[in-house]
């Protein structure tokens, strides 16, 4: 007899997501498992700095406050909770959950997964954590855990672990695991799968999108949906957008399986229901990714407001004045950006003003601290007419640097720690496969020639962008077969460089994903040393895709 699908929901896509989402998901419909994703590259740095101040810290305390309101409800409804809110200290959070359950008188079993922490092996790092797979989570659930807390696992592991436990999947069942990885990737960012941050957000009521859930089947296929009556929308576009988020080519590597994104097939399965099927999987690569966070130095910034006439001349003056003032001990890195938000003959002072942003970095806090703030403030009565700043510069603040390193699977002690204290080691994968690029697929037939019109790319294509360390990815997809035929030929890596000028001197790789009618670009180095270094106006490249959609191209009139 065919087993019923496993209903897995999400209630958090990042540390700081909607607080009430856990209760909303528990009360909004039927579920078997709820997952909460709290970790990102920047979050690990924030938790590492928390741990420097307090060795007992290092986990997402918000989760405990959410659970205090909802643990009894989850227990009554038989919903398992799996979360990576353990961050740098999963054992500490597991203890906190047990203490909470005891205080509330709720009989739950709490287990946790550890072994990801490799900080001791990387001197100078604030945090170095391997991305573990889902089988430690599966072991905890098979042993009867009601709540499973992890440290750094892959985001998709929060879904693959429960699916493996429920259906009895074992290592090596690559197609099934790959299907669950794809479903997990869709769920991991919460409402980004249900209309949040969506290029075509005006097509539904996205004021308060409901959180997503996946109905996962024993063969690894799934249906993405949401609870009835919740806001937002689930369609092929919202799911495509999330599939492209922070990915690259056709192979999406993980510690348990490499999922072939180029095999994913999506179809509308009814209102707010998208079926995912056909996903192929391969053996994982021979190494595990380790996210390494360290302090990069100190930074400071000041934003000068330039109003009215002579914007360029005013900017030149203050640049020259501060360059002279800092000449004795110049910062190691100085970056100026003039943002022309001003308009001619403006009817408000704000719209008559431009912003001149100065960012400085150095290993010495004093050079970017008092030296800069003093030099900037002293210009108050001695610079361009109308001198003022958005806020006075303060002390230099530390910034982080993120990088990826890779270690063999055997370098970690992946461990499931059960409620009774038993420690169950997870064996590394028996089979691995080096991660090679997928052969370039054939291009579709080009559209017949016809009249073109100069128009924004976003009229015929959606996009979503994000960050991975210092790199950014921009996934662009077409909504019709005809638009795909045009997009695949028109939006080359070279055209991307033309449309996004700051990428012109950087490596840009284009990946074709015909099943999704999508092209995915990876731009290396555009984010410098990563989000924590804040080297760019949009440090996580969240809006890079929307900038691309706003650029004008010669688009066939038949598509408009």
């Amino acid at each position: 007899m065919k087993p019923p699908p496993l209903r897995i929901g999400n209630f958090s896509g990042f540390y700081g997501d909607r607080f009430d989402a856990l209760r909303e998901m528990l009360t909004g419909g039927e579920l078997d498992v709820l997952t909460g994703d709290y970790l990102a590259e920047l979050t690990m740095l924030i938790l590492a700095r928390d741990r420097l101040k307090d060795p007992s810290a290092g986990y997402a305390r918000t989760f405990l406050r959410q659970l205090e309101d909802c643990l009894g409800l989850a227990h009554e409804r038989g919903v398992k909770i799996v979360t990576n809110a353990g961050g740098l200290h999963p054992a500490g959070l597991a203890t906190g959950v047990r203490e909470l359950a005891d205080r509330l008188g709720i009989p739950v079993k709490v287990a946790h997964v550890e072994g990801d922490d490799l900080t001791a092996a990387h001197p100078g790092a604030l945090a170095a954590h391997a991305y573990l797979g889902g089988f430690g989570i599966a072991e905890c659930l098979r042993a009867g855990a009601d709540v499973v807390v992890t440290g750094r696992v892959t985001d998709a592991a929060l879904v693959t672990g429960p699916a493996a436990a429920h259906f009895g999947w074992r290592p090596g069942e690559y197609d099934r695991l790959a299907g669950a990885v794809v479903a997990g990737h869709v769920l991991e960012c919460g409402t980004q799968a249900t209309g949040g941050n969506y290029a075509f957000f005006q097509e539904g009521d996205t004021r308060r999108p409901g959180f997503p859930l996946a109905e996962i089947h024993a063969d690894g296929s799934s249906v993405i949906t949401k609870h009835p009556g919740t806001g937002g929308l689930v369609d092929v576009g919202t799911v495509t957008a999330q599939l492209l988020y922070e990915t690259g080519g056709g192979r999406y590597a993980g510690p348990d399986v490499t999922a072939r994104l180029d095999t994913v097939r999506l179809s509308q399965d009814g209102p707010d229901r998208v079926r995912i099927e056909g996903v192929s999987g391969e053996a994982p690569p021979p190494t595990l990714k380790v996210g390494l966070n360290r302090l990069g130095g100190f930074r400071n910034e000041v934003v000068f407001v330039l109003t009215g006439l002579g914007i360029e001349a005013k900017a030149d003056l203050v640049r020259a004045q501060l360059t002279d003032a800092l000449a004795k001990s110049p910062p190691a890195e100085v970056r100026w950006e003039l943002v022309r938000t001003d308009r001619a003959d403006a009817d408000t002072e704000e719209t008559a003003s431009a912003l001149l942003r100065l960012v400085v970095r150095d290993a010495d806090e004093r050079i970017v601290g008092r030296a800069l703030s003093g030099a900037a403030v002293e210009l108050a009565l001695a610079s361009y007419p109308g001198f003022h700043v958005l806020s006075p510069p303060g002390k230099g603040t530390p910034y982080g640097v993120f990088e990826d390193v890779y270690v063999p699977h055997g370098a970690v002690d992946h461990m499931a720690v059960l409620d009774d204290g038993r420690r169950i080691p997870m064996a590394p994968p028996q089979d691995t496969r080096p991660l090679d690029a997928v052969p370039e697929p054939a291009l579709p037939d080009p559209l017949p020639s016809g009249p073109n019109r100069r128009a924004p790319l976003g009229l015929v294509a959606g996009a979503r962008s994000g960050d991975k360390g210092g790199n950014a990815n921009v996934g662009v997809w077409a909504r019709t077969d005809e638009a795909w035929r045009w997009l695949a030929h028109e939006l080359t890596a070279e055209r991307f460089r033309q449309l996004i000028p700051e990428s012109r001197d950087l490596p840009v790789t284009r990946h074709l994903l015909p099943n999704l009618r999508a092209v995915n670009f990876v731009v290396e180095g555009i984010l410098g040393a990563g989000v924590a270094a804040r080297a760019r106006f949009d440090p996580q490249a969240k809006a890079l895709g929307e900038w691309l959609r706003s650029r004008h191209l010669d688009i066939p009139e038949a598509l408009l």
Side-chain angles (χ1 to χ4, degrees):
M1 184 176 176
K2 189 176 180 180
L6 178 70
R7 291 174 62 87
I8 303 181
N10 172 280
F11 68 88
S12 175
F14 70 102
Y15 192 6
D17 209 343
R18 190 189 305 168
F19 187 88
D20 294 334
L22 180 55
R23 174 168 285 277
E24 290 172 13
M25 290 300 287
L26 285 169
T27 58
E30 294 298 317
L31 286 170
D32 301 303
V33 180
L34 259 178
T35 64
D37 184 1
Y38 288 77
L39 301 184
E41 294 164 1
L42 181 60
T43 313
M44 297 298 281
L45 178 64
I46 293 169
L47 294 176
R49 291 177 62 183
D50 288 347
R51 188 172 59 176
L52 285 177
K53 301 172 187 174
D54 178 2
S56 68
Y59 56 81
R61 297 183 183 276
T62 304
F63 173 67
L64 280 178
R65 297 200 300 274
Q66 291 173 291
L67 202 61
E68 183 168 12
D69 181 52
C70 296
L71 184 59
L73 188 59
H75 178 65
E76 290 170 10
R77 298 190 171 217
V79 178
K80 308 283 188 180
I81 296 177
V82 179
T83 178
N84 61 15
L88 278 60
H89 194 11
L93 180 55
T95 297
V97 174
R98 291 189 189 96
E99 292 172 350
L100 173 66
D102 289 344
R103 177 162 57 84
L104 297 176
I106 301 170
V108 297
K109 293 182 178 180
V110 183
H112 74 273
V113 176
E114 62 185 32
D116 58 298
D117 192 347
L118 301 180
T119 307
H122 294 84
L126 281 178
H129 291 256
Y131 290 71
L132 302 180
F135 282 102
I137 296 170
E139 189 66 34
C140 293
L141 292 171
R142 288 185 184 119
D146 302 295
V147 179
V148 181
V149 171
T150 78
R152 194 24 135 177
V153 295
T154 66
D155 299 339
L158 301 177
V159 170
T160 62
H166 181 77
F167 294 115
W169 298 342
R170 298 294 175 183
E173 296 189 55
Y174 295 132
D175 289 350
R176 293 181 175 91
L177 290 167
V181 163
V182 169
H185 183 63
V186 174
L187 294 189
E188 70 183 51
C189 290
T191 54
Q192 277 198 173
T194 58
N197 299 351
Y198 182 48
F200 304 105
F201 66 96
Q202 294 159 309
E203 295 182 357
D205 183 358
T206 56
R207 290 172 297 176
R208 188 180 174 86
F211 277 69
L213 64 94
E215 299 170 356
I216 299 181
H217 296 265
D219 63 356
S221 65
S222 63
V223 172
I224 305 298
T225 185
K226 61 188 183 70
H227 283 328
T230 56
L233 68 155
V234 179
D235 64 16
V236 169
T238 65
V239 174
T240 299
Q242 181 55 27
L243 277 178
L244 295 173
Y245 182 64
E246 295 183 346
T247 60
R251 286 191 166 101
Y252 185 59
D256 300 321
V257 63
T258 294
R260 291 289 298 264
L261 297 184
D262 57 334
T263 65
V264 175
R265 296 198 306 271
L266 304 179
S267 59
Q268 200 72 36
D269 195 51
D272 291 320
R273 292 176 62 84
V274 172
R275 182 170 296 279
I276 301 175
E277 56 193 345
V279 186
S280 295
E282 300 169 343
T287 56
L288 288 175
K289 175 181 170 181
V290 178
L292 193 151
N293 285 280
R294 58 182 173 83
L295 284 179
F298 297 86
R299 73 184 299 279
N300 206 347
E301 71 174 84
V302 58
V303 180
F304 301 91
V305 182
L306 315 174
T307 304
L309 305 177
I311 296 294
E312 297 283 353
K314 290 170 180 174
D316 289 344
L317 175 59
V318 76
R319 280 194 196 102
Q321 289 176 312
L322 271 177
T323 300
D324 290 343
L326 298 175
K328 289 184 180 179
S329 300
E333 183 182 344
V334 178
R335 180 168 177 168
W336 293 92
E337 286 184 277
L338 177 59
V339 184
R340 295 301 300 264
T341 52
D342 56 302
R343 295 202 300 264
D345 194 22
D347 57 5
T348 67
E349 183 177 333
E350 187 171 2
T351 56
S353 300
L355 302 177
L356 178 65
R357 181 170 177 250
L358 168 63
V359 177
V360 295
R361 292 182 176 81
D362 199 278
D364 188 337
E365 181 180 5
R366 294 170 297 178
I367 289 177
V368 300
R370 180 66 180 173
L372 173 68
S373 58
V377 170
E378 287 170 6
L379 293 178
L381 305 180
S383 189
Y384 59 86
F387 179 100
H388 65 287
V389 296
L390 290 184
S391 60
K395 299 178 181 179
T397 57
Y399 69 88
V401 172
F402 177 88
E403 62 180 307
D404 296 336
V405 296
Y406 293 85
V407 299
H409 285 267
V412 301
D413 296 320
H414 186 178
M415 194 75 63
V417 184
L418 307 184
D419 184 67
D420 60 8
R422 284 181 294 153
R423 300 172 63 84
I424 312 297
M426 298 295 104
Q430 294 184 349
D431 299 315
T432 61
R433 172 178 177 159
L435 192 65
D436 299 321
V438 172
E440 188 76 0
L443 289 170
D445 292 335
L447 282 182
S449 60
N452 294 328
R453 188 193 315 163
R454 197 77 176 167
L457 172 64
L459 294 183
V460 296
R464 179 164 287 164
S465 54
D467 66 305
K468 279 297 179 186
N471 302 337
N473 97 285
V474 185
V476 185
W477 78 95
R479 309 180 83 186
T480 65
D481 290 338
E482 291 75 17
W484 165 240
R485 290 169 63 186
W486 172 79
L487 184 72
H489 288 272
E490 175 65 23
L491 199 56
T492 62
E494 185 54 38
R495 179 73 76 211
F496 183 95
R497 289 190 180 95
Q498 293 171 6
L499 296 172
I500 306 296
E502 63 181 298
S503 72
R504 285 178 182 170
D505 298 324
L506 299 173
V508 177
T509 304
R510 183 179 91 148
H511 303 279
L512 283 175
L513 296 167
N515 280 8
L516 300 178
R517 295 193 295 234
V519 289
N520 207 357
F521 295 92
V522 177
V523 188
E524 297 180 34
I526 194 171
L527 304 179
V531 56
R534 290 187 287 168
R536 190 175 176 273
F537 168 68
D538 174 16
Q540 290 182 280
K542 294 290 189 182
L544 187 57
E546 285 301 292
W547 178 23
L548 179 66
R549 292 182 70 236
S550 74
R551 299 308 307 270
H552 287 219
L553 292 157
D554 292 326
I555 299 175
E557 288 189 355
L559 301 179
L560 296 172

